[in-house]
Amino acid sequence: MAALQFDQITKTFPGVKALNGVSFEARPGQVMGLLGENGAGKSTLLKILGGQYKPDGGRLLLDGREHRFSSAADAIAAGVAIIHQELQYVAELTVAENVLLGRLPTRFGLVDHAAARRQVAEQLARIGVDLDPAARLSELSIAQRQMVEICKAVMQDAKVIAFDEPTSSLSHRETDILFRLVKRLRAEGRTLIYISHRLEELYELCDACTIFRDGRKIVTHDVMAQVPRERLIADMVGRELQDIYDYRPRAHGPVRLEARGLHSARLPAPLSFAVRGGEVLGFFGLVGAGRSELMRLLYGADARRGGEVLLDGHAVPSAGPSAAIAAGIVLCPEDRKEQGILAHASVAENINISCRRHGLAGGIFLRHGQEAQRADAFIQKLRIKTPNREQEIRLLSGGNQQKVILARWLAEPGLKVLILDEPTRGIDVGAKNEIYKIIHDVAAAGCCVIVISSELPEVLGIADRLIVMRDGRISGELPRDQANETAALALALPDGAPAAAAAVH
C-alpha cells in the first residue's frame, strides 16, 4: 500500500490554476523526486500536504486513509513534516526553541531550557551538524538556518518528510550531511518527497520522480536512474534545450570597472580586480570565501576601510548603494526574499521602485501610466509569469521574483555594471536558461556582468573569465579556455585538501 497518495488534487488562486487534477503516490522507504519549472505547482502541492493550503478538489491519503488538514499542526499530528524553500523560523528565538517550538519541555510549569538544549544538541550531533543550541537564529547564516529546519523535521519523527530545495543555500559539507540523512531516513522506511532543480542531486537520491508542468502532472518515471537527463529536461520545459548556458563569444571593450585594494572589517586583505565592458566575469568559491562580502563592498552596502572603485576611469564615491546606483552599478543580492524584493508590494512597484526617481512629474508626482507601461513591457520581455502587474510579488515563484529584480535594474537608465549574487538559486532549468540569455544580452550591450555562483558548472558555462576566492582572498584567475572543475576546485580548496572532498553538487 502507498504511504502517501494524491488523488486528483486541484487548487485555484485568483487568476491562476496552480494544480489541475494531480495524482501520484509514494511508497514507504522511497524517495520520490518532484521536478518542474518554477510555478509548475510543486510547492503548492507541498503546502497542501503540510496543511497550509486546503485543496479545492481531490483527496490526500496517508496509509490509505483520507485526510483534510486544517492547519500545519494537523499535518504534523498525522506524521507529516515539510522543509519549505522559504524557511519557517523565529529569528529571535534560539536554535533549541525553534526546533522544539510548540513542544518545548517543561518543569514545574515553566519551559525547561536546559532540557531543550540537551535534546537538540543530541539530535544535531546525531545528524552531524555543529551548531550551538543556545544560539539565536538571527545570528546564523542561511545555510545554518536550513540545517535547523532539517533537524526540526527529523525530531518530529514524521513518517512522511518533504524537502523543498533543501540544498539551495547549503555548503558542500552540509549537502553531504543532508544526503547521508536522506539515505538513512529512506533505510528507516520513511516516505520522502524531494524537490530540487539540481538534476545531479535527484539522480543520486531519488528512486522515482514525478514531473509537473503548468499545474499538471506530466509523467511519473518509476526508475529515476533509467531516465536520460535530456528526457527529464524536455518533460519539464516542454521543449529541447540544446545549450542551457547559451554562451556567446563576444568582443570585450576596455576596462570599465576596477576595484583597487578594497578591504573591510570582514575582508581585511586588500582585494583588486578589473572587468572589461561586454565581459561576463564569474566568481567562485566555497561558502565563506568572501565573494558576497566583496560585492557588497563594491556596491557600497558595507563600509570600506580602504581602497577605491573606478568606473570608466572615475572614482565612485563610497557613499552607499545610492551612489553606486547613480553611477550605474547595481546588485541582485543572494537573499532575494530578505534583501531583493518588497514582499507585499506589487510586481509593478518592484520593477519601478528604483527608476521612478527619474520619472516624477514636476519632481513630485508619480507617472502611473508610464510605470504601468514599463512594468508590462518587462513582464512580456522577461516572460515573467504573473496574472497581472498588480499581483503581490510574494505570490510569485522564486524564478519569477528573480526576473522582477532583474527587470528593476534593466529599467535603470545608464546601467554599466550588473552584479548577480547566486542569480539562479532555487530556479528551474527553463528559467535558468532565460536568465542566462538576459546575462549575455546585457553583456552584448557593453555592460560588465559579474556573476557569483556556488554551482561550478553554471559559472564555468556562462563566464568569459573566472576569479576564485578562498578565505577572504583572491586565490587565482582562470580564462575561459583554461577554466575547468579541477582547476577551479584546486584554487577554492584549502592547501593540501583533495578535490574529491568538495564534490560539486
Side-chain angles (χ1 to χ4, degrees):
M1 178 186 293
L4 170 65
Q5 184 178 358
F6 296 100
D7 180 23
Q8 294 295 313
I9 297 292
T10 300
K11 181 65 179 178
T12 303
F13 297 104
V16 61
K17 198 158 196 172
L19 293 171
N20 190 354
V22 170
S23 299
F24 70 94
E25 60 185 40
R27 303 186 307 272
Q30 182 183 49
V31 181
M32 172 64 76
L34 297 191
L35 292 78
E37 295 188 272
N38 289 99
K42 307 180 303 297
S43 295
T44 299
L45 189 72
L46 290 199
K47 289 178 179 177
I48 289 174
L49 176 61
Q52 290 179 275
Y53 292 161
K54 294 180 182 179
D56 298 325
R59 301 185 302 157
L60 167 65
L61 297 94
L62 299 174
D63 294 327
R65 179 184 172 191
E66 184 175 352
H67 289 263
R68 286 191 171 272
F69 301 138
S70 298
S71 65
D74 286 351
I76 292 169
V80 175
I82 311 289
I83 301 167
H84 294 283
Q85 182 179 2
E86 301 294 345
L87 300 181
Q88 314 288 314
Y89 58 82
V90 182
E92 294 310 311
L93 295 183
T94 67
V95 169
E97 289 166 339
N98 271 275
V99 169
L100 296 174
L101 195 61
R103 49 200 177 93
L104 285 160
T106 59
R107 187 181 183 191
F108 306 124
L110 300 174
V111 173
D112 189 342
H113 291 285
R117 289 193 292 268
R118 283 196 303 272
Q119 290 180 31
V120 173
E122 290 171 2
Q123 185 60 55
L124 289 170
R126 183 178 175 222
I127 65 176
V129 177
D130 183 18
L131 279 178
D132 179 4
R136 292 188 183 279
L137 264 288
S138 59
E139 300 168 353
L140 303 183
S141 68
I142 296 174
Q144 290 171 322
R145 295 176 194 179
Q146 180 73 283
M147 297 310 289
V148 171
E149 287 293 294
I150 293 168
C151 179
K152 182 195 300 183
V154 172
M155 286 195 72
Q156 289 172 359
D157 198 29
K159 297 177 182 178
V160 176
I161 303 177
F163 299 84
D164 191 357
E165 294 290 346
T167 65
S168 62
S169 58
L170 299 186
S171 68
H172 296 295
R173 176 184 173 276
E174 290 160 336
T175 297
D176 288 338
I177 292 171
L178 174 68
F179 282 16
R180 290 196 298 271
L181 176 62
V182 168
K183 292 171 182 177
R184 192 188 83 205
L185 294 171
R186 174 173 55 189
E188 292 174 358
R190 316 282 185 102
T191 301
L192 306 175
I193 303 294
Y194 195 94
I195 295 178
S196 177
H197 295 304
R198 298 177 177 178
L199 295 184
E200 59 272 19
E201 290 184 9
L202 295 164
Y203 277 111
E204 179 167 347
L205 295 176
C206 296
D207 304 297
C209 70
T210 295
I211 297 177
F212 286 65
R213 189 167 70 239
D214 298 327
R216 297 178 180 270
K217 187 197 88 170
I218 301 302
V219 65
T220 293
H221 295 292
D222 293 325
V223 183
M224 177 81 185
Q226 295 179 1
V227 187
R229 179 187 178 97
E230 294 74 18
R231 171 70 188 279
L232 290 180
I233 293 174
D235 285 342
M236 283 190 286
V237 303
R239 64 189 189 278
E240 298 287 340
L241 288 180
Q242 300 298 327
D243 177 15
I244 185 175
Y245 299 115
D246 193 43
Y247 178 76
R248 310 170 207 163
R250 73 194 74 79
H252 300 156
V255 170
R256 168 147 259 194
L257 175 74
E258 187 174 4
R260 294 180 179 173
L262 291 183
H263 62 279
S264 67
R266 301 175 70 181
L267 291 175
L271 298 168
S272 301
F273 68 93
V275 198
R276 296 181 177 276
E279 183 179 22
V280 178
L281 176 63
F283 270 80
F284 176 70
L286 304 183
V287 172
R291 300 161 300 162
S292 297
E293 290 81 359
L294 177 56
M295 294 307 127
R296 288 176 61 83
L297 274 183
L298 196 67
Y299 182 61
D302 291 342
R304 300 181 208 159
R305 284 191 170 177
E308 61 179 347
V309 175
L310 301 178
L311 188 58
D312 293 329
H314 302 288
V316 178
S318 58
S322 58
I325 294 169
I329 302 172
V330 301
L331 169 68
C332 293
E334 176 184 17
D335 189 343
R336 60 177 168 261
K337 177 184 175 184
E338 297 292 336
Q339 301 173 353
I341 64 171
L342 302 173
H344 291 280
S346 68
V347 170
E349 286 179 286
N350 272 276
I351 290 174
N352 285 291
I353 190 66
S354 180
C355 67
R356 67 175 25 157
R357 70 186 190 279
H358 301 290
L360 294 175
I364 301 174
F365 303 107
L366 297 179
R367 298 181 185 271
H368 293 290
Q370 186 181 83
E371 290 196 353
Q373 291 177 3
R374 182 186 296 119
D376 288 343
F378 276 106
I379 288 169
Q380 181 177 7
K381 181 179 179 180
L382 303 189
R383 297 175 62 188
I384 298 169
K385 292 181 181 178
T386 178
N388 53 64
R389 76 176 89 93
E390 299 305 322
Q391 178 84 322
E392 287 189 14
I393 192 173
R394 66 185 179 87
L395 300 177
L396 270 57
S397 68
N400 286 297
Q401 290 179 6
Q402 187 75 318
K403 288 182 184 179
V404 172
I405 299 170
L406 277 169
R408 176 191 304 160
W409 296 133
L410 296 179
E412 275 284 340
L415 174 63
K416 297 178 181 178
V417 181
L418 175 62
I419 306 170
L420 304 169
D421 194 348
E422 302 288 0
T424 65
R425 171 170 287 165
I427 292 178
D428 65 79
V429 66
K432 284 182 179 181
N433 179 246
E434 292 172 355
I435 287 174
Y436 299 149
K437 289 179 184 294
I438 294 168
I439 288 171
H440 295 306
D441 287 345
V442 170
C447 292
C448 305
V449 183
I450 301 174
V451 179
I452 296 174
S453 179
S454 298
E455 295 190 42
L456 187 47
E458 173 177 81
V459 76
L460 291 173
I462 63 174
D464 299 301
R465 180 165 52 101
L466 183 64
I467 289 178
V468 182
M469 293 187 66
R470 182 179 70 222
D471 298 329
R473 300 173 183 272
I474 293 175
S475 56
E477 181 179 314
L478 298 166
R480 183 175 179 84
D481 59 359
Q482 297 176 23
N484 55 57
E485 292 190 6
T486 302
L489 283 171
L491 292 170
L493 290 165
D495 293 334
V504 178
H505 296 299

